[in-house]
Amino acid sequence: MEHIVIIGNGIAGVTAARHIRKLSDKKITIVSSETDFFFSRTALMYVYMGYMKFEHIQPYENWFWKKNNIDLVKGYVTQVDHKNKGLLLTGDKKLNYDKLIIATGSKPNKFGWPGQDLKGVQGLYSKQDLDLLEKNAPNSKVCPRAVIIGGGLIGIEMAEMLRSRNIPVTFLVREKSFWNGVLPDGESQMLNEHILQHHIDLRLQTNLKEILSDENGRAKAVTTDTGDTIECNVVGLTPGVSPNIDFLKESGIKLGRGVMVNRYLETNIQDIYAIGDCAEQQEAIGNRRPIEAVWYTGRMMGEALAQTICGNRTPYNPGHWFNSAKFLDIEYQTYGWVFSSQSKKEYEEHFHWRHPKEKISITIAYHKGDRKFLGINTFGIRLRHEIFDRWLTEERTIDYVMEYLKDANFDPEFFADYENDIISKYNSEFATNIQPRKKSWKRILNL
């Protein structure tokens, strides 16, 4: 019986295992050093905030794995011997494979800051990080102040977590505006305001210089390049993540920033594959980055590779870009491509609407030549993924999107008051006379 070994029990590795099992009776083993069972990494913050218990973020019961003949091995892989198709684990344990899937995810970035390895300094990625934060910052008495370094999604999540326990937070962001490398200026500025309104001490254009230690080797303060010294008990290092591939450096597997793969997720070594956050496409797919640390792309890679492993060679085809996130209590969605002011294409124009009082906005990107719809960002409004996916495929114009905007409305009780305002501003800016079409379920369902 062919033995498939998967290193990593995140969404990519577990999806591959589940779909291989659906398609075959191959022997499957998942190796992980993080946890005994798969959990939803994106929900870790809600455990700390008290909304869920850890067992609530485990999608499958513990008996699921045995019932489906998926063996679980708790251990850390230290070496891959592709010539003998073997793995070496800590404790000198050995494991042989016929086909190997590397799905080891990401690790938090560190940039050599003085004091970055002190007690009280941590990232927020793994279950171990969650446990450590519970120990370092259980309440505002143990942790009177925290400082977070890095202005991305993990940073804002960590800030929200700490504020949920009334722990004061200072947030150091090196850019002149929060997440302005990803978002257009109007949206980035709105988030600056929102962060400050949630009593987070946001300091833009500020870099960490050093983390200072007390007599016990624990962080007691940070210094910045603006000359400030900020006392704190916890320092959250959240300047992004990078592929977790250090153990592969002597393996013979071709590495870049991640494990180099083709569109079939194959490495340069026969019978070895890589998926998820640790995989790097040899050739980027459209505007997508070669490495995508995104939950749904890991799932899609796992599904595609399972087909290949089971004899139906299938390329990874992620389709149109989409993503979602949450900035404190503002929900964010993006479909297609809406580039920041820094990286906007020369042919790209934006239409932006913002509610005069609420933190609600949309930005639509379109081609200045033929007015083709390129993408949309929404904050505080829920829209239908399948509608925008279809419009992008059909290469609709921005005028068409405006006319049929009600079809994309997912939450009519919240969105109904905004459509007329959005289209009114659009008509005013572009001297058009678009009248919104009434919502049609026939169109929505594509009947």
Side-chain angles (χ1 to χ4, degrees):
M1 184 182 296
E2 188 175 51
H3 187 195
I4 313 299
V5 174
I6 302 168
I7 309 175
N9 71 343
I11 184 62
V14 164
T15 299
R18 288 180 51 247
H19 283 262
I20 292 169
R21 175 54 66 239
K22 288 180 181 180
L23 297 168
S24 74
D25 61 355
K26 299 178 188 294
K27 179 176 173 60
I28 302 172
T29 300
I30 299 177
V31 182
S32 173
S33 62
E34 183 178 11
T35 55
D36 292 326
F37 304 106
F38 169 60
F39 67 92
S40 177
R41 194 175 304 282
T42 55
L44 275 175
M45 63 182 294
Y46 301 114
V47 177
Y48 180 88
M49 294 171 71
Y51 301 151
M52 302 171 122
K53 295 181 179 179
F54 183 72
E55 55 265 31
H56 297 157
I57 67 171
Q58 293 178 298
Y60 307 105
E61 299 288 351
N62 294 349
W63 48 258
F64 172 88
W65 311 100
K66 185 175 181 180
K67 180 181 179 181
N68 287 276
N69 294 319
I70 299 174
D71 296 330
L72 304 179
V73 173
K74 186 77 176 290
Y76 181 82
V77 176
T78 59
Q79 183 180 339
V80 175
D81 178 6
H82 70 84
K83 293 181 180 178
N84 296 301
K85 290 195 168 183
L87 305 178
L88 182 65
L89 283 66
T90 48
D92 292 328
K93 296 179 182 177
K94 294 183 179 180
L95 186 64
N96 290 103
Y97 65 86
D98 294 302
K99 287 186 168 66
L100 176 66
I101 301 173
I102 302 167
T104 47
S106 300
K107 57 183 176 63
N109 288 330
K110 288 186 175 182
F111 293 108
W113 293 293
Q116 68 180 19
D117 296 318
L118 291 170
K119 296 174 185 177
V121 181
Q122 65 165 100
L124 182 64
Y125 180 82
S126 66
K127 172 60 164 59
Q128 287 80 2
D129 290 334
L130 177 68
D131 294 340
L132 189 58
L133 188 63
E134 189 68 60
K135 180 179 178 181
N136 286 332
N139 52 55
S140 59
K141 291 183 179 179
V142 175
C143 178
R145 176 167 291 277
V147 174
I148 297 173
I149 315 299
L153 293 175
I154 298 176
I156 195 66
E157 286 182 357
M158 193 173 190
E160 182 178 3
M161 292 164 68
L162 292 164
R163 289 299 299 136
S164 74
R165 299 195 183 186
N166 297 314
I167 296 171
V169 174
T170 295
F171 197 7
L172 306 186
V173 176
R174 68 178 180 177
E175 292 81 15
K176 67 178 182 179
S177 186
F178 179 80
W179 226 36
N180 67 344
V182 177
L183 299 176
D185 290 344
E187 298 170 350
S188 177
Q189 177 57 38
M190 184 175 73
L191 290 180
N192 292 339
E193 298 167 15
H194 193 62
I195 291 168
L196 290 168
Q197 287 171 355
H198 278 72
H199 309 290
I200 295 168
D201 177 24
L202 175 63
R203 303 195 187 187
L204 300 170
Q205 293 183 291
T206 304
N207 289 286
L208 172 66
K209 186 176 180 181
E210 183 178 1
I211 304 170
L212 304 179
S213 176
D214 66 10
E215 63 276 9
N216 299 314
R218 175 170 286 277
K220 70 172 184 178
V222 303
T223 61
T224 72
D225 63 353
T226 59
D228 293 323
T229 298
I230 306 167
E231 294 185 1
C232 59
N233 305 85
V234 168
V235 179
L237 297 183
T238 63
V241 295
S242 54
N244 183 23
I245 59 169
D246 290 347
F247 72 105
L248 296 172
K249 288 181 178 177
E250 306 298 326
S251 66
I253 299 169
K254 186 178 179 181
L255 306 177
R257 288 185 55 237
V259 181
M260 303 302 296
V261 296
N262 60 19
R263 287 291 293 273
Y264 294 90
L265 306 164
E266 300 163 328
T267 70
N268 62 309
I269 306 294
Q270 187 175 357
D271 295 330
I272 298 182
Y273 310 83
I275 56 177
D277 295 13
C278 68
E280 179 177 358
Q281 289 287 324
Q282 294 171 9
E283 296 181 5
I285 302 172
N287 287 320
R288 290 173 176 267
R289 295 177 178 179
I291 299 172
E292 291 186 315
V294 181
W295 181 90
Y296 83 88
T297 57
R299 175 179 55 78
M300 293 175 76
M301 288 184 201
E303 292 172 355
L305 182 55
Q307 292 287 334
T308 295
I309 292 285
C310 295
N312 178 28
R313 196 161 182 261
T314 302
Y316 166 58
N317 181 19
H320 298 297
W321 168 256
F322 71 94
N323 201 7
S324 63
K326 192 165 166 285
F327 297 92
L328 301 165
D329 54 353
I330 302 179
E331 292 191 27
Y332 159 70
Q333 293 176 303
T334 184
Y335 303 102
W337 296 105
V338 183
F339 289 102
S340 71
S341 301
Q342 301 172 18
S343 55
K344 192 165 69 170
K345 308 296 183 183
E346 62 180 20
Y347 56 78
E348 182 182 345
E349 291 286 357
H350 290 170
F351 165 71
H352 179 71
W353 171 87
R354 178 176 170 182
H355 192 279
K357 296 180 180 179
E358 307 291 336
K359 295 295 187 293
I360 297 170
S361 73
I362 69 164
T363 301
I364 300 179
Y366 64 96
H367 194 291
K368 67 172 67 173
D370 57 14
R371 300 181 65 76
K372 183 173 70 174
F373 170 60
L374 301 175
I376 184 170
N377 288 350
T378 72
F379 285 84
I381 300 172
R382 288 185 179 183
L383 300 177
R384 296 181 184 277
H385 175 192
E386 64 274 14
I387 292 293
F388 285 107
D389 196 66
R390 187 190 311 158
W391 289 347
L392 287 164
T393 298
E394 294 170 349
E395 298 188 340
R396 298 295 188 178
T397 65
I398 184 174
D399 289 354
Y400 181 95
V401 170
M402 283 294 166
E403 185 175 354
Y404 293 96
L405 192 58
K406 289 187 177 183
D407 285 356
N409 182 340
F410 190 78
D411 282 336
E413 65 271 31
F414 299 119
F415 188 75
D417 291 340
Y418 311 138
E419 289 167 343
N420 290 337
D421 292 341
I422 293 169
I423 295 170
S424 176
K425 183 182 181 188
Y426 181 81
N427 284 333
S428 176
E429 283 193 15
F430 295 99
T432 53
N433 188 32
I434 291 173
Q435 300 298 316
R437 295 289 189 99
K438 187 177 180 180
K439 185 175 183 177
S440 166
W441 282 104
K442 186 175 181 179
R443 283 195 305 267
I444 292 170
L445 300 174
N446 203 25
L447 298 176

